[in-house]
Amino acid sequence: MSVEQKINSLRDELREHNYNYYVLDNPTISDYDFDIKLKTLQSLEEAHPEFYDANSPTLRVGGEVTKNFNTVVHEYRMYSLDNSYSKDDLLDWEKRIKKMIDGEVNYTCELKYDGASISLTYENGKLLRAVTRGDGTQGDDVTANIKTIKTVPLQLKGDFPKKFDIRGEIVLPFEGFNKMNEERLEVGEEPYRNPRNTASGSLKLQDSAEVAKRPLECLLYNITGANLGFDTQFESLKKARQMGFKVPEASKLVGSIDAVLEFVEYWDVHRHDLPYETDGVVIKVNSLQQQDELGFTSKAPRWAMAYKFKAEQVSTRLNEITYQVGRTGAITPVANLEPVELAGTTVKRASLHNADQIEKLDIRVGDEVYVEKGGEIIPKIIAVDLSKRPESSLPTTYISHCPECQTELIRQEGDAKHYCPNYNGCNPQIIGRIQHYISRKAMDIEGLGGETVALLVNEGLISNYSDLYTLTKEEVLPLERMAEKSAENLINGIAASKQIPFERVLFAIGIRFVGETVAKKLAKHYKSSDAIAQASIEDLVSVDEIGGRIAESVVEFFSSEENKAIVEKLKTYGLQLELSAEKLANQTDKLKGLSIVVSGVFETVSRTELKKLIEDNGGKVSSSISSKTNFLVAGAKMGPSKRTKAETLGVLIISESDFLSKLN
Ligand code: AMP
Ligand code: ZN
């Protein structure tokens, strides 16, 4: 086989595996083997740039940076949809249709996905470009970003029209959205509000490698073009599936408005089981010829209609507004409500987000407010029932001082939130920071939990994490629920944390925006906390993956005398504030990019050592098996459920000795 043939056959093979994995959700190869094939293709492509293909599966990881998105005129306009809210609305619509066309009318019912609309143009089976809806006439060219979304085929399968546009929605499934938010909270960033805005924001990120990291999906629902080779909407969906697109299965062909309503009622209940957000149903005249006859109004097709699900809503009394102080000092106002049933749960609280939100809706204590559960996880107040406002009601004045430490709050330019600036003297901030310090992913201190930390701070025994290291058994014994044994465990656990490697200490000390990954990057690059403390912003941003915001936050952290003193103390107590010499000598890239799970009991090395080995060689240790796992290192007494999971997902299982000999 020539090199070119080899490259092409690898590309075909990898495309097929991507399709099986992402579109069909049915992988037929282990991730490990997939990665090996991908790496082979990568090195062949590097050695033979003459066979470059902009649609190669190797380009899925992104890396292209777009500063300004080009404006592109849509060949076929992207219309909006008319909305209906009742059976009567739908019957009226049917009447209008029947006036314009003769014969029987059938409808397809589809779910209305709540994401960011996108138009993909394909020519000769290849993705030519991807454009946002924009104003409907023209949008932004976001091809580089869209290419990183694995459900978007770069090369079509089977037979396909020569050139066409296909429209769909970029969505962010709940699971991925929640995971992104967990990671943001961990580094002290505000969580994203809802999946839709996050999905549409993702399309306009400048660095496509960032987009590649987000678990976005592309769901398709409409093909537009000439000589398409099908006559109905329902057939077109089937055809799109055959070409390799992800088209949700929840679409139905029906013959009457009554049947449409059945579909709506069914999905109004069952949509809660779907992995992503939907906000209604879209009903389309099935025959393309009839669609043609009906045409468009200035705004929307006459042959389609959206039917919005009712957002679940109730009204209740706002009893009190309280203010929470987070670990980063951010203030969140909380509405304390008269408990009320909403979408199957009892709601007692709703987030008010920030001062602007309260002012905009003019929310006051004593008001009867409407609460809605939409795409957001926490219910929100959407309006006030002014007719029920008590005469004596007064506008809400936002707090000016921290409810915990009475320090005057600040609000920085461009920030929606107020902050308590009393970094080292405000209890929830102190407690939150120490809780983060001892948490599993940080110092993982055995025998010490979050509640005990709060007790220790409130009793005045500690005021920052370095104080943990001078605690004595005698001091902690009088604490609530503390016995001889537990006090001993606590002190031992704290002492043991002195062995925790530098990069985790760096994560644990809680520099804003420095998460686990960033901490590892910084540790690897600078090798000691002293070097990091001396780095300038310019120097920091030159490190791979360190952006301006992180750099500023690092510099700010180390410019505080108090922080410097605390870190200095950690050093005197014997914590690892630099990479160990052994570590420096042992680091390689052998396992770069691989995600590995370890399970069971090991003979020649301890579990911790094994994990360290993996990380020192550039691999990533993850705690649970998923389809993203490259392989599982299995020791003795591994749980049977882990094995079954690995087997069903096709994750390679290797023994301790195999792994160690492979590494050497
Ligand atoms: P609206 O933005 O409320 O005018 O609704 C129109 C938008 O609904 C379109 O631009 C699409 O992005 C979106 N949409 C979601 N699902 C569908 C679907 N199955 N068919 C057509 N449009 C859909
Ligand atoms: Zn405070």
Side-chain angles (χ1 to χ4, degrees):
M1 217 194 295
S2 72
V3 175
E4 185 174 11
Q5 281 169 329
K6 184 136 201 236
I7 288 182
N8 283 333
S9 103
L10 272 170
R11 282 178 184 158
D12 285 343
E13 207 186 327
L14 289 167
R15 258 178 215 125
E16 193 62 26
H17 288 309
N18 264 334
Y19 173 73
N20 289 336
Y21 187 116
Y22 290 103
V23 179
L24 300 183
D25 222 349
N26 181 23
T28 55
I29 177 178
S30 76
D31 283 9
Y32 181 76
D33 291 333
F34 181 90
D35 283 342
I36 291 190
K37 283 186 200 285
L38 190 70
K39 291 214 168 108
T40 315
L41 177 58
Q42 255 163 354
S43 46
L44 282 174
E45 287 180 345
E46 265 163 39
H48 298 275
E50 66 272 28
F51 302 129
Y52 175 83
D53 177 355
N55 285 335
S56 169
T58 51
L59 299 173
R60 291 280 199 188
V61 290
E64 218 172 301
V65 174
T66 317
K67 285 271 179 266
N68 293 302
F69 295 94
N70 285 331
T71 305
V72 178
V73 176
H74 295 295
E75 188 172 350
Y76 304 92
R77 197 178 136 182
M78 287 178 89
Y79 286 89
S80 176
L81 290 171
D82 282 332
N83 283 316
S84 59
Y85 301 92
S86 66
K87 181 173 181 178
D88 284 346
D89 288 349
L90 287 176
L91 290 173
D92 283 348
W93 176 53
E94 184 169 56
K95 243 185 252 157
R96 293 199 296 275
I97 291 173
K98 298 232 158 135
K99 245 187 238 162
M100 292 183 69
I101 50 178
D102 305 321
E104 207 185 318
V105 180
N106 290 308
Y107 304 96
T108 60
C109 303
E110 298 165 27
L111 288 175
K112 188 167 185 291
Y113 321 107
D114 206 7
S117 32
I118 193 78
S119 177
L120 310 173
T121 304
Y122 284 84
E123 196 169 36
N124 299 321
K126 287 193 192 309
L127 175 67
L128 191 64
R129 76 178 89 80
V131 184
T132 62
R133 172 159 128 178
D135 64 2
T137 318
Q138 53 182 42
D140 291 323
D141 184 335
V142 290
T143 314
N145 285 345
I146 293 298
K147 271 189 183 172
T148 67
I149 300 173
K150 312 293 190 299
T151 38
V152 173
L154 302 180
Q155 166 72 54
L156 301 180
K157 302 151 63 77
D159 54 323
F160 35 77
K162 189 163 164 38
K163 186 169 180 198
F164 64 94
D165 283 1
I166 183 163
R167 269 86 193 258
E169 207 78 1
I170 306 292
V171 297
L172 188 55
F174 292 119
E175 197 187 330
F177 173 73
N178 292 338
K179 208 161 152 244
M180 280 172 69
N181 269 349
E182 275 168 30
E183 284 164 13
R184 285 176 75 82
L185 283 171
E186 201 158 85
V187 298
E189 289 185 85
E190 277 279 292
Y192 293 116
R193 286 270 188 92
N194 62 47
R196 189 204 34 231
N197 292 357
T198 316
S200 70
S202 303
L203 299 191
K204 300 292 280 290
L205 290 176
Q206 294 192 333
D207 180 0
S208 64
E210 266 316 299
V211 187
K213 284 190 210 148
R214 300 192 172 184
L216 299 161
E217 286 191 23
C218 181
L219 308 175
L220 284 313
Y221 50 72
N222 177 262
I223 302 182
T224 310
N227 304 321
L228 295 173
F230 44 78
D231 303 317
T232 68
Q233 167 67 7
F234 203 66
E235 265 176 77
S236 78
L237 296 178
K238 193 164 138 206
K239 186 80 210 247
R241 277 184 205 110
Q242 286 164 355
M243 289 191 266
F245 293 102
K246 182 150 187 164
V247 179
E249 296 296 330
S251 51
K252 194 172 178 191
L253 186 57
V254 302
S256 70
I257 293 299
D258 278 327
V260 167
L261 286 164
E262 262 172 49
F263 184 88
V264 171
E265 272 155 34
Y266 178 85
W267 283 107
D268 199 0
V269 177
H270 290 88
R271 67 189 169 115
H272 299 295
D273 307 329
L274 293 171
Y276 26 69
E277 231 176 321
T278 52
D279 62 347
V281 167
V282 184
I283 306 120
K284 297 172 186 165
V285 169
N286 190 41
S287 152
L288 296 192
Q289 205 223 310
Q290 289 179 339
Q291 286 191 5
D292 241 16
E293 285 172 50
L294 289 163
F296 298 84
T297 65
S298 62
K299 175 183 154 263
R302 288 197 188 86
W303 44 264
M305 184 60 87
Y307 191 103
K308 293 255 171 105
F309 292 129
K310 276 191 214 65
E312 287 163 273
Q313 219 182 62
V314 284
S315 83
T316 188
R317 212 182 95 98
L318 171 61
N319 289 329
E320 194 190 1
I321 297 175
T322 52
Y323 298 84
Q324 282 176 354
V325 187
R327 164 160 80 87
T328 57
I331 308 290
T332 305
V334 179
N336 294 263
L337 306 165
E338 194 58 37
V340 62
E341 284 294 304
L342 175 61
T345 51
T346 308
V347 174
K348 298 191 195 100
R349 267 184 279 276
S351 169
L352 290 168
H353 301 300
N354 52 50
D356 292 344
Q357 186 76 6
I358 296 177
E359 199 182 307
K360 201 171 98 198
L361 298 176
D362 186 19
I363 296 170
R364 306 178 183 189
V365 170
D367 274 344
E368 188 76 15
V369 293
Y370 293 104
V371 184
E372 187 177 293
K373 217 172 196 173
E376 274 127 69
I377 291 107
I378 311 162
K380 63 176 176 190
I381 293 180
I382 48 154
V384 173
D385 184 348
L386 291 175
S387 71
K388 297 205 178 130
R389 175 167 281 172
E391 295 257 334
S392 57
S393 154
L394 289 173
T396 300
T397 33
Y398 203 78
I399 49 166
S400 57
H401 290 76
C402 176
E404 300 280 343
C405 73
Q406 279 66 52
T407 304
E408 191 171 350
L409 300 179
I410 52 163
R411 188 188 206 177
Q412 255 149 11
E413 182 90 24
D415 248 346
K417 293 219 158 191
H418 286 73
Y419 281 85
C420 166
N422 188 7
Y423 182 86
N424 283 310
C426 179
N427 261 9
Q429 297 188 57
I430 295 171
I431 294 171
R433 225 159 25 235
I434 304 176
Q435 285 172 337
H436 168 74
Y437 182 85
I438 64 155
S439 66
R440 206 171 45 80
K441 285 180 174 173
M443 301 303 273
D444 193 16
I445 298 186
E446 231 173 282
L448 179 57
E451 283 180 32
T452 312
V453 167
L455 270 179
L456 289 168
V457 173
N458 291 330
E459 293 292 319
L461 288 170
I462 58 174
S463 60
N464 64 64
Y465 36 70
S466 78
D467 293 341
L468 289 169
Y469 296 93
T470 52
L471 278 177
T472 62
K473 199 170 112 187
E474 290 65 39
E475 279 176 318
V476 299
L477 256 176
L479 291 181
E480 225 176 281
R481 269 179 284 140
M482 195 56 79
E484 186 75 23
K485 186 79 196 143
S486 43
E488 220 161 81
N489 287 344
L490 192 158
I491 302 295
N492 290 340
I494 292 172
S497 73
K498 294 180 185 170
Q499 305 310 319
I500 296 287
F502 175 46
E503 66 267 19
R504 273 174 58 193
V505 182
L506 194 56
F507 168 60
I509 60 177
I511 304 171
R512 201 163 173 211
F513 306 133
V514 176
E516 270 182 293
T517 329
V518 171
K520 276 185 192 159
K521 290 252 145 68
L522 289 172
K524 209 167 176 171
H525 185 89
Y526 289 101
K527 304 187 173 57
S528 75
S529 67
D530 286 343
I532 298 174
Q534 275 156 25
S536 65
I537 291 189
E538 298 75 62
D539 191 39
L540 283 157
V541 292
S542 70
V543 181
D544 193 25
E545 280 186 53
I546 306 295
R549 212 175 39 158
I550 299 173
E552 271 174 39
S553 164
V554 170
V555 168
E556 192 185 316
F557 183 90
F558 285 105
S559 65
S560 141
E561 290 304 325
E562 255 163 315
N563 287 339
K564 269 196 284 200
I566 293 172
V567 173
E568 217 34 58
K569 271 193 198 159
L570 290 179
K571 214 191 289 172
T572 11
Y573 298 144
L575 281 109
Q576 309 292 315
L577 286 161
E578 52 184 45
L579 285 188
S580 64
E582 167 208 17
K583 177 137 195 170
L584 283 172
N586 285 339
Q587 278 180 349
T588 77
D589 271 344
K590 280 186 202 161
L591 301 173
K592 195 171 169 192
L594 298 181
S595 165
I596 301 165
V597 174
V598 300
S599 178
V601 185
F602 300 93
E603 279 168 24
T604 37
V605 289
S606 76
R607 222 178 136 87
T608 330
E609 281 166 341
L610 189 62
K611 287 187 180 171
K612 200 167 146 297
L613 263 178
I614 293 171
E615 288 183 344
D616 285 350
N617 288 288
K620 186 170 157 265
V621 181
S622 43
S623 51
S624 65
I625 302 174
S626 75
S627 48
K628 300 253 156 39
T629 309
N630 294 89
F631 58 87
L632 167 70
V633 188
K637 297 192 193 139
M638 181 175 80
S641 66
K642 269 221 164 129
R643 179 173 295 274
T644 320
K645 180 144 191 217
E647 279 166 0
T648 36
L649 288 173
V651 172
L652 189 70
I653 305 179
I654 63 176
S655 71
E656 175 185 354
S657 56
D658 275 356
F659 175 72
L660 293 173
S661 58
K662 229 183 194 168
L663 207 55
N664 291 321

